[in-house]
């Protein structure tokens, strides 16, 4: 007996055939495939080595132009374009501003997929593999030389290293950071602590947190994330600070289910439940702790220096209210940053123009983003230890200029700067590992009776599964 | 089984040579007759093609493709294998089914009972209807943030209320044992208005004579509901049941905003949130599409079984 679930009729069959044909043709239009563009837009080696032809008109679209709400930054951008055009009048800079953060991961991922990113696009250091998987960035190795980027040899090799794959360079840095302990100086003083000596060990953090939470009125001593993968990110940062790792050196096994991992989890659990110094509201994500510390409700948390800029510019906090120390433990610290890449398939002239612009805007001491006297005149922050990718004499000169033009008390960051901690990159499959580690963090921070051994063992098993799952 | 109208052994009718032009002519006439209707359809067909069908075909293709170092290759079953081997996969399904189950208990029964109650009111029904529907008109994010405040263990309204009765503070969204039910309560409050109005419309379509007859037979309130109301609204109840399951299996907004994604120890991580993680945090579109496909197959299978059962019942 024929099933009555679906009875195809002549009309429905014809419609189905038409629909399949239509959709197949549409799908064929949209199916992406790898192209063989070298990133030089088919240009030859001779094209690459030749200087940018001043007669060739080039238009560059570039994202992360400051939005109108950031009037001073936008003015500086326009001034820089004008200055740049004096030397390169043939290059038109078409800036694109984005609301909120320059890179929203969901938007960025969709852009890459649709290949609709601008010619010169902003990314985080950790995006390289994603960009390459989507055939998104040009290989700019041949275009970036001491001739086109005079400060090239002064840029920290570790920073350039994260923008390379198989020896090929795909981006130029605009900023970098290492994580440290951000403190609220006002609360430190009120709790009888010395804000010029932030805690450097987890024992000191715990003691200080207890004192700050003792101020009452809903004030927490220490804060942590435990949602949207940021909990795992901070668990990793804490592990790095103690000299441990979360993934083995070969990237194949979880490495956090040990005494150090237990120490980190136990410490947080005790601070939350025994000391009651971390507040009742948990499952926090990026942005939540910034709001708490900016409103003097939180004493300290692990952060990068540019969190302060966010708090001052977006949340109305004051620079002098914050200070930074090195990450507790001080063995190694998670580092990160952002950069610009150039869209794959761009012509050699476009790439040359983009490198020239990036060199001027982001890599030349005394110019663009490093023109600290102008930044000061525009009442923008000067004195944060970020960007921090120059080395040697260039770094010394830049730091001197920053100190001279500082718009905030730079001595508040002295403990952070005077105790540099070696930076360490994120683990492989970072976001997937962080997602699993979020459960450890949310477990210890939301469950008074959390079984830490079990949480770590489960997370270890899951991370091993994630690492084995390709 | 009734006898077939045409015997299997009957010879196939022989098509006369003149039949084809006649059919073409009638087709042309039909097209001409419905030309304006077809014209009106073009917009809808194009919209559906680009915004519904094309993405579905692309998702199907993506589920079997992989991007690595700029190359898109066919991946066979590896995306599905990745999804099934993800330690979060079963947890996400358990959570989703738990949400669906709880949402059926609360989200299916409560609006129906509210509709029955509303239907009994002789006065102020319009005002009460508006009250019930009001949460639906609020932007979902605003509603969720409202509940986030209610649930906060530090300063939230719910702990204040239970504190009056001497009940100790609860963790609500921050406990593995209460997070999901807290999400369901918020979701039910946010979404029940629409269902209530649909049930109310169905209730008001029931002829009053049936209730009068039941009353004459001595039926009380529950017997009237059981023997008159439910049978008379069975069709709409079935439809809402199906739609409720399809909607709740795709829940994303409420847990995403209330518990910032996965909740305590992943206890509110749903399948759609996992799809979101794959696509936008792990840049694994293949995995996201594969998991989407699994969800689609499951829901389509469920819908087909349900429609089949409903038809059998009707027959």
């Amino acid at each position: 007996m024929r099933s009555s679930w679906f009875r195809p009729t002549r009309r429905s069959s014809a419609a189905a055939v038409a629909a399949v044909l239509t959709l197949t043709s549409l799908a064929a239009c949209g199916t992406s495939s790898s192209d063989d563009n070298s990133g030089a837009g088919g240009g030859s080696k001779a094209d690459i080595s030749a200087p940018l032809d001043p007669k060739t008109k080039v238009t560059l679209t570039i994202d992360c132009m400051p939005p109108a709400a950031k009037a001073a930054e936008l003015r500086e951008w326009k001034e820089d374009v004008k200055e740049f055009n004096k030397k390169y009048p043939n290059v038109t800079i078409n800036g694109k501003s984005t609301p909120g953060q320059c890179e929203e991961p969901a938007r960025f991922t969709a852009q890459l997929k649709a290949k609709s990113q601008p010619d010169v696009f902003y990314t985080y250091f950790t995006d390289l593999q994603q960009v390459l998987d989507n055939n998104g960035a040009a290989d700019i190795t041949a275009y970036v030389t001491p001739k086109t980027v005079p400060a090239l040899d002064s840029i920290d090799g570790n920073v350039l290293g994260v923008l390379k794959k198989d020896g090929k360079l795909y981006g130029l840095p605009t900023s970098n950071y290492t994580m440290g302990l951000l403190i609220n100086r006002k609360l430190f003083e009120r709790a009888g602590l010395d804000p010029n000596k932030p805690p450097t060990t987890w024992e000191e953090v715990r003691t200080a947190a207890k004192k700050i939470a003792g101020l009452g009125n809903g004030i927490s001593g220490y804060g942590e994330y435990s949602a949207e993968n940021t909990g795992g990110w901070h668990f990793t940062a804490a592990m790095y600070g103690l000299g441990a790792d979360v993934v083995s050196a070969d990237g194949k096994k979880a490495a956090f289910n040990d005494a150090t991992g237990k120490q980190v989890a136990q410490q947080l659990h005790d601070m939350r439940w025994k000391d009651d110094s971390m507040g009742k509201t948990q499952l926090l994500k990026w942005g939540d702790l910034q709001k708490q510390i900016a409103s003097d409700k939180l004493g300290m948390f692990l952060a990068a220096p540019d969190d302060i800029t966010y708090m001052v510019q977006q949340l109305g906090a004051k620079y002098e209210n914050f200070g930074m120390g090195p990450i507790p433990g001080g063995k190694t610290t998670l580092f990160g940053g952002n950069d610009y890449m150039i869209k794959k398939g761009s012509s050699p002239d476009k790439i040359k123009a983009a490198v020239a612009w990036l060199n001027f805007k982001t890599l030349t001491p005394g110019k663009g983003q490093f023109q600290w006297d102008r930044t000061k005149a525009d009442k923008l922050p000067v004195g944060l230890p970020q960007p921090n990718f120059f080395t040697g004499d260039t770094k010394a000169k830049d730091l001197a200029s920053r100190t001279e033009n500082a718009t905030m008390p730079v001595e508040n960051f002295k403990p952070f700067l005077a105790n540099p901690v070696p930076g360490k990159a994120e683990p492989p499959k970072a976001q997937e590992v962080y997602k699993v580690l979020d459960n450890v963090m949310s477990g210890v921070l939301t469950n008074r009776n959390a079984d830490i051994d079990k949480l770590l063992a489960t997370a270890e098993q899951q991370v091993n599964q994630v690492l084995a799952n390709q | 089984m009734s006898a077939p109208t045409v015997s299997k052994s009957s010879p196939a009718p022989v098509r006369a040579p003149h039949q084809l032009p006649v059919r073409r002519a009638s087709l042309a006439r039909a097209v001409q007759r419905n030309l304006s209707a077809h014209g009106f359809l073009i917009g809808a067909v194009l919209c559906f093609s680009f915004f519904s069908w094309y993405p579905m075909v692309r998702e199907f293709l993506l589920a079997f493709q992989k991007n690595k170092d700029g190359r898109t290759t066919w991946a066979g079953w590896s995306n599905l294998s990745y999804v099934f081997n993800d330690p979060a996969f079963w947890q996400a399904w358990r959570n989703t089914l738990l949400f669906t189950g709880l949402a059926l208990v609360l989200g299916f029964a409560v609006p129906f009972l509210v509709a029955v109650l509303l239907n009994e009111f002789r006065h102020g029904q319009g005002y009460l209807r508006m009250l019930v529907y009001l949460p639906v008109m609020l932007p979902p994010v605003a509603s969720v943030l409202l509940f986030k405040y209610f649930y906060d263990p530090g300063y939230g309204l719910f702990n204040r209320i239970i504190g009056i009765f001497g009940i100790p503070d609860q963790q609500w969204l921050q406990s593995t044992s209460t997070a999901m039910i807290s999400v369901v309560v918020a979701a039910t409050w946010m979404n029940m208005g629409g269902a209530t109005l649909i049930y109310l419309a169905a209730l008001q379509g029931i002829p009053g004579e049936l209730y009068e007859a039941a009353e004459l037979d001595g039926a009380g309130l529950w017997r009237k509901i059981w023997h008159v109301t439910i049978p008379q609204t069975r069709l709409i109840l079935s439809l809402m049941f199906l739609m409720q399951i399809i909607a709740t299996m795709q829940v994303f907004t409420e847990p995403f905003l209330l518990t910032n994604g996965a909740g305590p120890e992943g206890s509110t991580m749903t399948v759609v949130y996992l799809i979101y993680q794959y696509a936008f945090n792990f840049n694994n579109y293949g995995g996201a599409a594969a998991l989407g496909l699994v969800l689609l197959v499951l829901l389509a299978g469920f819908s087909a079984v349900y429609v089949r059962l409903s038809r059998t019942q009707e027959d």
Side-chain angles (χ1 to χ4, degrees):
Chain A
M1 190 173 131
R2 191 168 184 178
S3 164
S4 61
W5 282 34
F6 180 67
R7 293 193 188 93
T9 61
R10 190 188 301 275
R11 192 177 293 173
S12 65
S13 303
V17 170
V20 167
L21 286 175
T22 311
L23 292 172
T24 312
S25 59
L26 283 169
C29 293
T31 303
S32 62
S33 62
S34 172
D35 63 54
D36 290 321
N37 275 348
S38 63
S44 64
K45 192 82 181 168
D47 288 329
I48 296 170
S49 57
L52 175 61
D53 180 0
K55 286 179 190 160
T56 310
K57 295 272 183 205
V58 180
T59 299
L60 290 177
T61 51
I62 303 176
D63 61 6
C64 201
M65 180 179 79
K70 293 182 174 176
E73 285 100 323
L74 183 59
R75 191 171 59 245
E76 289 186 353
W77 172 282
K78 286 177 180 170
E79 285 169 10
D80 285 340
V81 171
K82 215 170 168 184
E83 181 76 18
F84 177 73
N85 281 151
K86 283 181 188 165
K87 191 173 177 187
Y88 298 101
N90 54 321
V91 179
T92 303
I93 302 286
N94 188 2
K96 305 268 180 204
S97 61
T98 42
Q101 290 177 298
C102 285
E103 186 196 315
E104 298 282 354
R107 183 180 62 209
F108 179 66
T109 308
Q111 264 188 337
L112 279 180
K113 208 72 199 164
K115 301 200 182 303
S116 62
Q117 71 272 35
D119 299 325
V120 186
F121 59 99
Y122 177 99
T123 82
Y124 298 130
F125 284 177
T126 44
D127 292 331
L128 179 62
Q129 188 56 48
Q130 176 185 2
V131 173
L132 294 181
D133 283 348
N134 286 287
N135 218 15
D139 168 12
I140 57 171
T141 318
Y143 296 87
V144 179
T145 64
K147 204 173 170 185
T148 56
V149 181
L152 184 63
D153 294 335
S154 305
I155 299 174
D156 187 343
N158 288 329
V159 171
L160 280 178
V162 295
L163 298 169
K164 286 181 182 172
K165 188 168 184 204
D166 301 330
K168 293 176 182 170
L169 183 68
Y170 291 95
L172 287 171
T174 56
S175 189
N176 65 319
Y177 68 83
T178 54
M179 288 183 74
L181 185 72
L182 179 62
I183 66 161
N184 181 312
R185 291 176 61 87
K186 201 192 284 180
L187 291 181
F188 260 63
E189 280 167 9
R190 278 179 58 196
L193 297 161
D194 183 355
N196 296 319
K197 287 182 183 166
T200 55
T201 65
W202 280 107
E203 289 76 24
E204 289 175 13
V205 169
R206 187 173 175 182
T207 309
K210 241 196 275 192
K211 285 186 180 168
I212 296 167
L215 294 170
N217 201 22
I219 293 171
S220 304
Y222 181 76
E224 257 312 351
Y225 303 128
S226 50
E228 286 192 11
N229 309 346
T230 54
W233 172 49
H234 268 208
F235 181 88
T236 304
M239 290 288 283
Y240 280 12
L242 293 169
D245 217 329
V246 292
V247 169
S248 62
D250 61 4
K252 290 183 176 168
K253 291 277 173 198
F256 52 80
N257 188 12
D258 57 10
T260 316
K262 192 170 178 180
Q263 181 193 337
V264 171
Q266 189 69 55
Q267 162 106 5
L268 290 171
H269 181 267
D270 291 348
M271 286 167 74
R272 167 68 185 93
W273 298 106
K274 284 187 184 165
D275 304 347
D276 196 16
S277 62
M278 292 184 69
K280 287 180 179 167
T281 305
Q282 298 300 329
L283 299 180
L284 304 173
K285 60 181 191 310
W286 199 95
D288 294 333
L289 294 175
Q290 287 80 350
K291 287 185 189 91
Q292 289 182 15
I293 203 167
S295 56
D296 297 332
K297 290 288 182 190
L298 175 65
M300 53 192 159
F301 74 106
L302 299 183
D306 65 346
D307 280 28
I308 302 173
T309 310
Y310 166 75
M311 292 186 292
V312 171
Q313 294 186 342
Q314 307 287 323
L315 306 175
K318 289 186 175 155
Y319 284 109
E320 53 269 27
N321 199 17
F322 304 107
M324 275 197 89
I327 192 153
K331 297 275 173 48
T332 54
T333 184
L334 196 63
F335 83 86
N338 43 269
D339 58 279
Y340 273 105
M341 294 183 186
I342 299 160
K343 190 175 183 176
K344 185 154 188 181
S346 300
S347 67
D349 282 328
K350 228 171 206 187
I351 297 177
K352 285 175 198 169
V355 170
W357 164 255
L358 292 175
N359 172 59
F360 172 77
K361 177 71 179 158
T362 66
L363 298 170
T364 305
K367 299 278 183 192
Q369 69 165 342
F370 293 106
Q371 197 179 337
W372 300 116
D373 54 345
R374 179 182 66 172
T375 315
K376 182 184 180 185
D378 286 337
K379 296 185 170 55
L380 291 169
V382 184
L384 287 173
Q386 189 177 335
N388 189 22
F389 52 69
F390 286 133
T391 56
D393 283 351
T394 312
K395 179 178 182 167
K397 280 179 193 162
D398 179 58
L399 276 181
S401 174
R402 269 190 232 207
T403 310
E404 191 186 324
N405 294 291
T407 57
M408 64 184 80
V410 283
E411 62 275 12
N412 290 357
F413 305 103
K414 205 174 165 188
F416 180 75
L417 286 169
N419 300 286
V421 179
K424 192 170 177 176
E426 291 188 292
K429 289 192 154 189
Q431 291 298 325
E432 289 169 77
V433 171
Y434 294 163
K435 180 190 72 171
V436 174
L437 289 172
D438 257 6
N439 289 345
V440 176
M441 295 292 267
S442 63
V444 295
L445 294 175
T446 63
N447 185 359
R448 182 189 292 275
N449 303 312
D451 182 342
I452 290 171
D453 289 333
K454 195 177 164 198
L455 282 172
L456 287 171
T458 307
E460 179 188 32
Q461 184 200 347
Q462 293 184 343
V463 166
N464 284 340
Q465 228 170 319
V466 162
L467 294 172
N469 197 12
Q470 296 297 331
Chain B
M1 190 192 284
S2 59
T5 51
V6 179
S7 162
K8 276 184 185 172
S9 57
S10 303
V14 179
R15 177 175 287 165
H18 65 274
Q19 273 184 323
L20 210 59
V22 169
R23 189 179 291 277
R24 272 190 194 151
S26 66
L27 184 71
R29 268 201 307 277
V31 168
Q32 207 170 10
R33 197 167 54 239
N34 299 319
L35 202 59
S36 54
H38 286 116
F40 281 118
L41 269 179
I42 286 174
V45 168
L46 282 177
C47 278
F48 272 103
S49 301
F50 281 107
F51 300 117
S52 290
W53 300 330
Y54 170 60
M56 283 170 72
V57 172
R58 282 290 289 146
E59 191 205 326
F60 184 80
L61 293 175
L62 276 174
F64 297 97
Q65 288 179 340
K66 204 158 227 176
N67 282 334
K68 186 73 186 162
D69 292 335
R71 304 186 73 81
T72 302
T73 51
W74 291 105
W77 300 103
S78 69
N79 286 329
L80 282 163
S81 157
Y82 169 89
V83 164
F84 281 101
N85 284 313
D86 183 349
F89 178 79
W90 296 112
Q91 188 183 18
W93 276 106
R94 272 196 305 274
N95 293 339
T96 304
L97 291 174
L98 177 64
F99 180 89
T100 301
L102 291 169
L104 279 181
V105 173
L106 278 181
F108 187 63
V110 172
F112 185 71
L113 290 175
V114 171
V116 170
L117 277 176
L118 279 180
N119 198 33
E120 293 299 315
F121 279 101
R122 296 278 178 256
H123 303 288
Q125 208 181 69
Y127 171 70
L128 291 169
R129 269 204 308 257
M130 190 197 73
L131 273 190
V132 170
Y133 197 70
L134 206 56
V136 181
M137 291 189 279
L138 284 174
V141 175
S143 303
V144 166
L145 292 180
L146 194 69
F147 266 86
K148 209 169 180 178
Y149 159 71
F150 290 165
Y151 282 131
D152 191 279
Y155 52 81
L157 180 71
F158 290 158
N159 273 350
R160 293 279 171 93
I161 292 173
I162 63 172
I164 296 169
F165 302 101
I167 301 170
D169 283 359
Q170 299 298 308
Q171 290 290 302
W172 304 115
L173 296 166
Q174 299 185 19
S175 159
T176 49
S177 54
T178 52
M180 189 57 96
I181 186 71
S182 303
V183 172
V184 172
V185 167
T188 303
W189 182 84
M190 286 165 60
N191 301 310
M192 66 178 270
T196 305
L197 288 196
I198 292 171
Y199 292 140
L200 192 60
L203 290 173
Q204 289 175 346
I206 301 173
E209 297 84 14
L210 293 178
Y211 289 110
E212 285 166 19
E215 275 173 27
L216 286 175
D217 289 341
L221 177 67
W222 290 114
R223 292 199 71 183
K224 277 194 284 183
I225 290 175
W226 190 251
H227 291 291
V228 179
T229 310
I230 291 179
Q232 287 294 312
T233 52
R234 191 165 61 91
L235 197 65
I236 200 80
L237 282 174
S238 306
L239 184 70
M240 293 300 286
F241 182 79
L242 177 66
M243 287 171 68
Q244 174 98 356
I245 288 186
I246 291 175
T248 52
M249 293 278 276
Q250 298 178 63
V251 65
F252 174 78
T253 310
E254 290 88 351
F256 181 69
L257 292 174
L258 280 171
T259 59
N260 285 339
E265 296 178 51
S267 57
T268 59
M269 177 176 55
T270 62
V271 172
V272 178
Y273 177 69
L274 196 57
I275 291 174
Y276 171 86
Q277 281 262 22
Y278 285 161
F280 297 117
N281 287 330
F282 306 165
N283 183 39
N284 183 354
Y285 272 78
L291 184 52
L293 207 59
V294 173
L295 183 63
L296 173 82
V297 167
L298 193 103
L299 287 178
F302 169 78
S303 305
V305 169
Y306 186 81
V307 169
R308 172 79 174 159
L309 287 175
S310 305
R311 274 191 192 160
T312 313
Q313 261 184 336
E314 279 163 26
D315 293 342

